[in-house]
Amino acid sequence: KAGVTQTPRYLIKTRGQQVTLSCSPISGHRSVSWYQQTPGQGLQFLFEYFSETQRNKGNFPGRFSGRQFSNSRSEMNVSTLELGDSALYLCASRDLRANTEAFFGQGTRLTVV
Amino acid sequence: KQEVTQIPAALSVPEGENLVLNCSFTDSAIYNLQWFRQDPGKGLTSLLLIQSSQREQTSGRLNASLDKSSGRSTLYIAASQPGDSATYLCAVRPGNQAGTALIFGKGTTLSVSS
């Protein structure tokens, strides 16, 4: 069974640009969550999608948005990039019918210059 | 507001030692607790999941315990190996339902020397 797949693995963007990150969950998992990891703040929750609906949202500005497709794949978009958005963005999937263990992808390393 | 603390922030041990990593949380109302391992620059690997009704879980050389009343969990690693060197993260899912987000500690960075 394939794990959680995130693409791309690395991105370099310029301030003011926008970026889209992709996450394919484990087959059969309909819940996808996104987290931001920085050295100073650690891991912080962005949002969670289930069956194409955002069911939970963290404390991030509106520049951060996401969506989920009917095949459970999810995308995260960050508009008007700032230097402080440089981070490792991690996606997690889980099967809410089972024990809800969260499985993470390898992450996308975003660098804003 | 739930907060998760992991002490120490870093730990260095010689190969073969048994060791304990600590995790504390401020609100005992949790749905479950999960321990992860993270290698530098990589994603998180799930090690153990403990449901709120459970006291411990074991997987190979790893044993995790949960004491909700005191707000503590420990991860015990037996006979440590250099390959165990990584950052270990503890995360709780607060509340009484599965729909809440994981809240993470800052992690303990373990270094095992041969």
Side-chain angles (χ1 to χ4, degrees):
Chain A
K1 204 177 198 181
V4 179
T5 303
Q6 291 188 245
T7 57
R9 289 293 313 279
Y10 303 93
L11 267 176
I12 300 176
K13 289 288 188 178
T14 304
R15 255 184 315 175
Q17 287 187 314
Q18 75 165 10
V19 67
T20 299
L21 314 182
S22 179
C23 172
S24 293
I26 292 172
S27 177
H29 288 192
R30 293 163 62 191
S31 165
V32 174
S33 298
W34 290 88
Y35 292 81
Q36 180 196 66
Q37 185 177 32
T38 59
Q41 298 298 318
L43 275 143
Q44 294 183 289
F45 170 72
L46 283 154
F47 28 67
E48 179 179 19
Y49 285 86
F50 178 77
S51 293
E52 302 179 63
T53 301
Q54 186 181 92
R55 59 181 288 166
N56 206 350
K57 189 177 190 306
N59 189 25
F60 277 81
R63 300 184 297 107
F64 292 81
S65 63
R67 60 178 174 168
Q68 187 179 34
F69 302 94
S70 58
N71 62 358
S72 295
R73 188 177 71 86
S74 177
E75 288 182 347
M76 190 191 99
N77 185 274
V78 188
S79 62
T80 319
L81 283 165
E82 301 177 359
L83 296 179
D85 297 333
S86 296
L88 181 66
Y89 289 88
L90 292 160
C91 161
S93 80
R94 53 189 182 126
D95 182 352
L96 297 184
R97 300 165 300 177
N99 63 8
T100 77
E101 183 175 2
F103 296 92
F104 281 77
Q106 290 297 297
T108 294
R109 170 72 63 185
L110 172 64
T111 302
V112 183
V113 298
Chain B
K1 180 189 169 190
Q2 179 73 270
E3 292 182 0
V4 181
T5 304
Q6 293 185 248
I7 295 173
L11 183 63
S12 292
V13 300
E15 182 177 7
E17 264 202 19
N18 302 324
L19 57 102
V20 174
L21 305 182
N22 296 296
C23 171
S24 60
F25 44 95
T26 54
D27 189 337
S28 62
I30 64 170
Y31 186 77
N32 58 33
L33 182 147
Q34 212 169 337
W35 282 93
F36 296 90
R37 168 189 172 135
Q38 186 175 32
D39 293 292
K42 299 291 180 65
L44 276 60
T45 299
S46 179
L47 297 174
L48 290 164
L49 170 73
I50 308 179
Q51 302 293 355
S52 63
S53 59
Q54 297 174 321
R55 296 282 297 190
E56 67 176 339
Q57 282 286 346
T58 298
S59 176
R61 295 183 294 109
L62 305 179
N63 175 278
S65 69
L66 174 63
D67 184 344
K68 280 201 312 178
S69 61
S70 66
R72 293 181 183 277
S73 176
T74 61
L75 179 67
Y76 175 83
I77 302 177
S80 58
Q81 304 170 357
D84 295 330
S85 299
T87 296
Y88 291 80
L89 294 154
C90 166
V92 301
R93 195 172 297 278
N96 59 5
Q97 57 177 328
T100 55
L102 286 171
I103 297 175
F104 284 84
K106 293 288 179 70
T108 294
T109 299
L110 173 66
S111 176
V112 182
S113 56
S114 56

